[in-house]
Every structure is written in C-alpha cells, then in structure tokens.
Amino acid sequence: MTKKYASVDRCDCDVIHKDVIDHVRKEMPEEESLYDLAELFKVFGDSTRIRILSALAVSEMCVCDIANLLNMTQSAISHQLRVLKQAALVKNRRDGKVVYYSLDDEHVEQIIDQGMAHINEEE
Amino acid sequence: MTKKYASVDRCDCDVIHKDVIDHVRKEMPEEESLYDLAELFKVFGDSTRIRILSALAVSEMCVCDIANLLNMTQSAISHQLRVLKQAALVKNRRDGKVVYYSLDDEHVEQIIDQGMAHINEEE
DNA sequence: TTAACACATGAACACCCATTCATATGTCTT
DNA sequence: AAGACATATGAATGGGTGTTCATGTGTTAA
C-alpha cells in the first residue's frame, strides 16, 4: 500500500503537530504552482531585470536605449531581455533594424507596485 | 564639470532616442529602490522559501512542522527561515523549546497572490 | 547536572546564473 | 553585393547561494 504523500525521511526531528501539518497540506497551493511562482519571482529578483521592467513601465524602448539608460553593454541587456521574454513579461516589435520592447501586460506593473508598497511601508 | 549622470562607457551602440532615455530616467524609481526591490523578489524567488511562506499563510507553524511538511532537513528550513526573517517576511515566537513562525504582515500574502494571479491568467 | 529535544549556525561544496567576449543574424543604404 | 548598424546568441568565467554536515545554543524534564 502506497503512502498518500512522500514519506518523510529527510527531516531529523519529530512531528510536533500532525493535525496542523495535515491541515496546511490540504489548504496550501499545489507544488507545481509554487514552483512556477518561484520561477516568476526569480525573474524579478535581479536588479538589471527589475530596472529594465521599471524603465519599460514608463515607455517602450529599444535595446540600445536601455543599454544607454542603464550604462550596460548591449549584449548584457539583450541576454536579460531574452529571459524576460521567455517569462512572458515583455514583448517586442521590430521596426527596421531596431527592436522595441514593452511590458507584456498590466500584471507586471502590479507586481512591481506591490513590492514597492511593501518596501516603502516599513518602519 | 561633472556630468549629471554616469557617463555611458559600457554600451557598444549609439543612443537612438535621447529624448526617450531622458524621459524614462526622470520617471522611473530611484536606483536604490530598485535594488531593494530586486532583493525582495530574490527572497521570493526560491521554491523552498515560497513553499514556506505559502504554508505560513495557512497557519503558524514550528520549524519541525515545516521540515516535515516539505520533507526537508530541519537545518535547511532553519537556514531559510533566517533569510525570511532578515527580509522581515516572517516573525517568530518561542514557547518552551518550540519556535513558532508566522507571516510578518499581510503584504506577503498580497505579493504571493499577485504572482499567482499572473501565473493563472496565462492563455 | 545530565540527558534529551528543538532550533540555530558556521564551513564547505556543488550548482546556478549574470556578465563578458567573440561572433552570428537581420536590415537598411549605397 | 558590400558595408554599416542594431540586435541576438553561444561559450566561458566568476560570483552568489542553497543544501549538507557537524556542532553549538537554549529549554525542559528527570
């Protein structure tokens, strides 16, 4: 007979409150969602990417503009834009040689604003 | 005469839209805030820490409970709780030998919920 | 005070990842 | 077609970080 949940073999301490553990296990989101969530926040968790997103929240920009604004190489910016695009946080359009990037949806700004609110309301 | 902003010496391409760059530079948040913001999201950007926070959103728990719930060593959990505490995302109280952790404020849940909303509304 | 238990912590290691460097791709101009 | 320019990308590297292991700290009970 298989156990319903993974057996606990890594924890080197005793279960203190089995009822609490069972309750939390039922109520908290699925593992997969939480992994996806961590991946999402990981993308926000880099100062270069956050600065790019904050810039794009103000205005659409091309790669060269962003590189100049942040005083970084075009290559570094391009690599990060790739990460942001894969995470569906930015989109782009090509106009001749120039590629313009912008935020993909309004959720991005909301997440940033929520984080800002947390930071500014510390006392 | 010093320049108002850091000289651009890292970018290996020309400025395309100086007016856009100047505008964005005025409108976007300060560098320091963005660094702090990245640090905050960095804390959320780990699956172990996100799972801990999600669990604590359901109920206060002791270290041993969390370790059992997530099937990880008490040491690993304790290390991550330290990170979460330093980021002011969780608080704790001691009751005898047992230390109970809980979310520090309602902002934490809001940030998680905002991220969840983003993930679930993809199509 | 000694043992047992819950938790914390320092060091070491393995892995991840952001940047750099070199080069490739795509587009426009002549 | 060839050169110039904007951007993309692959490989390499250095720094950061999560887990493990061993051990330390704090509390309770005998």
Side-chain angles (χ1 to χ4, degrees), chain A residues 13-27:
Chain A
C13 54
D14 298 337
V15 178
I16 305 293
H17 311 94
K18 181 150 180 46
D19 55 333
V20 172
I21 295 177
D22 290 341
H23 175 232
V24 171
R25 211 193 298 270
K26 281 175 198 137
E27 296 295 325

Side-chain angles (χ1 to χ4, degrees), chain A residues 15-61:
Chain A
V15 178
I16 305 293
H17 311 94
K18 181 150 180 46
D19 55 333
V20 172
I21 295 177
D22 290 341
H23 175 232
V24 171
R25 211 193 298 270
K26 281 175 198 137
E27 296 295 325
M28 71 186 296
E30 299 176 12
E31 286 267 310
E32 191 182 341
S33 297
L34 294 174
Y35 277 104
D36 292 344
L37 195 54
E39 289 305 309
L40 176 67
F41 284 127
K42 204 171 292 181
V43 177
F44 284 88
D46 175 80
S47 60
T48 298
R49 287 192 293 265
I50 275 284
R51 288 190 297 159
I52 292 174
L53 293 174
S54 291
L56 296 183
V58 177
S59 170
E60 171 187 75
M61 296 182 87

Side-chain angles (χ1 to χ4, degrees), chain B:
Chain B
M1 184 170 178
T2 58
K3 296 185 182 179
K4 187 168 183 183
Y5 300 111
S7 61
V8 177
D9 51 0
R10 314 290 306 283
C11 176
D12 52 354
C13 54
D14 298 337
V15 178
I16 305 295
H17 311 92
K18 182 150 181 45
D19 53 335
V20 172
I21 295 176
D22 289 340
H23 175 232
V24 170
R25 210 192 300 268
K26 278 175 199 141
E27 295 296 324
M28 72 187 294
E30 298 176 10
E31 287 266 311
E32 190 182 341
S33 297
L34 293 175
Y35 277 104
D36 292 344
L37 194 55
E39 290 304 310
L40 177 68
F41 284 128
K42 205 171 291 183
V43 177
F44 284 88
D46 174 79
S47 60
T48 298
R49 287 191 293 265
I50 275 283
R51 288 190 297 159
I52 292 174
L53 293 173
S54 292
L56 297 182
V58 177
S59 171
E60 170 187 77
M61 297 181 86
C62 70
V63 180
C64 185
D65 285 343
I66 301 172
N68 277 275
L69 173 68
L70 303 185
N71 194 30
M72 293 180 66
T73 65
Q74 171 270 321
S75 179
I77 299 299
S78 192
H79 275 295
Q80 295 301 349
L81 285 170
R82 185 165 182 266
V83 174
L84 293 171
K85 184 122 190 283
Q86 285 177 332
L89 300 183
V90 304
K91 61 190 175 197
N92 59 12
R93 68 180 178 86
R94 176 178 278 274
D95 181 17
K97 289 182 290 189
V98 183
V99 178
Y100 294 92
Y101 281 82
S102 57
L103 298 187
D104 197 326
D105 62 32
E106 69 289 346
H107 263 142
V108 180
E109 280 196 73
Q110 289 174 9
I111 293 174
I112 291 177
D113 291 344
Q114 194 77 51
M116 277 293 187
H118 178 80
I119 286 177
N120 295 327
E121 288 181 24
E122 300 294 323
E123 65 264 7

Side-chain angles (χ1 to χ4, degrees), chain A residues 4 7 11 34-35 55 67 76 81 85 89 103 114:
Chain A
K4 187 168 182 183
S7 63
C11 176
L34 294 174
Y35 277 104
L81 285 170
K85 184 122 189 283
L89 301 183
L103 299 187
Q114 194 77 51

